[in-house]
Amino acid sequence: FKCHNHSPQEMDDQIFKGNRKAKIVYVVRDPRDSCVSLYHQLQKAGISDWMAKANFTDFFKTYFRDGKTVFYGLWEDHVNNWLSSRDEYDILVVKYEDLIEDSCKEISRVADFIGCDLTPEAVRRIAEKTSFANIKDQNLFKEDGHDGVHDSFLRKGVVGDWKNHFVDMADEEMMRKIADDLYKKHQI
């Protein structure tokens, strides 16, 4: 299942109940693309008049970088909480960018992690059936009361769409450096 819990300790209270053998697959995405994705999702959801009218730069500065406002805290706090717990919990880290670049390789990593022996053909079929394009085409994630792909919360699923949104390159550079530092700290 997918969650946005702030830390594995929070999940422990709700789900694991002290079971340290539970296998966790943690998918981390470039914070710049995460911001773009969240921006479009919240605009579409119509959560507030401000959000409906906000441009991307205002959203980034006022919402995404305000740890008291954003639902799940700052990106780097969320990621650091999970990655810092890898000694305590059985966590496999998958970078979204790697999943898009070579889905078969990442599916094989996940299968190995959970102890599932898959043939190369099975991996290929899983990659095909779970591709962004296939899931979007099947309308699997459309919102209740809406009809079709255009009402889905799935948008593009691409890597690097941040390049079409960040105007202030100092903001982009700050987020790149935050990600690079965290990835280096946690050796991912």
Side-chain angles (χ1 to χ4, degrees):
F1 66 94
K2 176 184 176 187
C3 73
H4 288 98
N5 292 67
H6 194 65
S7 69
Q9 292 77 14
E10 185 181 321
M11 291 275 303
D12 199 359
D13 294 342
Q14 297 173 0
I15 296 168
F16 302 140
K17 310 283 189 207
N19 177 5
R20 295 298 187 268
K21 294 188 188 299
K23 296 201 176 271
I24 301 167
V25 177
Y26 182 76
V27 180
V28 62
R29 188 174 188 185
D30 183 307
R32 299 164 298 182
D33 280 332
S34 292
C35 183
V36 170
S37 178
L38 184 61
Y39 169 71
H40 286 286
Q41 186 175 3
L42 294 179
Q43 274 211 320
K44 189 170 194 165
I47 63 168
S48 71
D49 288 338
W50 180 85
M51 189 63 230
K53 297 173 189 168
N55 65 40
F56 178 78
T57 301
D58 290 343
F59 170 79
F60 174 79
K61 292 179 187 291
T62 306
Y63 186 84
F64 195 75
R65 294 309 302 157
D66 182 348
K68 294 181 178 122
T69 303
V70 71
F71 297 143
Y72 311 113
L74 295 177
W75 178 90
E76 59 268 30
D77 293 340
H78 190 280
V79 172
N80 191 55
N81 285 343
W82 281 90
L83 298 184
S84 294
S85 299
R86 289 188 296 171
D87 289 339
E88 186 178 352
Y89 295 87
D90 197 3
I91 300 174
L92 173 69
V93 178
V94 175
K95 291 170 106 178
Y96 181 83
E97 295 77 17
D98 294 342
L99 189 58
I100 296 300
E101 182 180 324
D102 190 347
S103 57
C104 288
K105 178 182 175 187
E106 296 305 307
I107 289 166
S108 292
R109 282 184 65 226
V110 171
D112 289 345
F113 177 67
I114 64 172
C116 185
D117 187 25
L118 296 176
T119 65
E121 177 59 22
V123 169
R124 187 198 61 72
R125 283 195 321 267
I126 291 168
E128 181 181 308
K129 289 183 182 288
T130 60
S131 72
F132 188 88
N134 191 51
I135 289 173
K136 191 169 182 177
D137 285 346
Q138 291 183 37
N139 295 329
L140 295 177
F141 291 97
K142 68 181 178 181
E143 297 172 4
D144 290 340
H146 297 280
D147 58 352
V149 173
H150 299 292
D151 292 320
S152 170
F153 69 81
L154 298 176
R155 197 174 70 86
K156 288 184 176 181
V158 298
V159 171
D161 195 34
W162 62 265
K163 295 172 189 168
N164 299 315
H165 291 77
F166 277 87
V167 175
D168 184 342
M169 289 297 106
D171 291 338
E172 178 276 324
E173 175 65 22
M174 174 187 64
M175 294 310 298
R176 185 195 57 74
K177 182 167 179 9
I178 287 170
D180 288 349
D181 289 349
L182 262 178
Y183 293 168
K184 183 177 180 180
K185 173 184 175 183
H186 295 287
Q187 300 175 347
I188 65 165

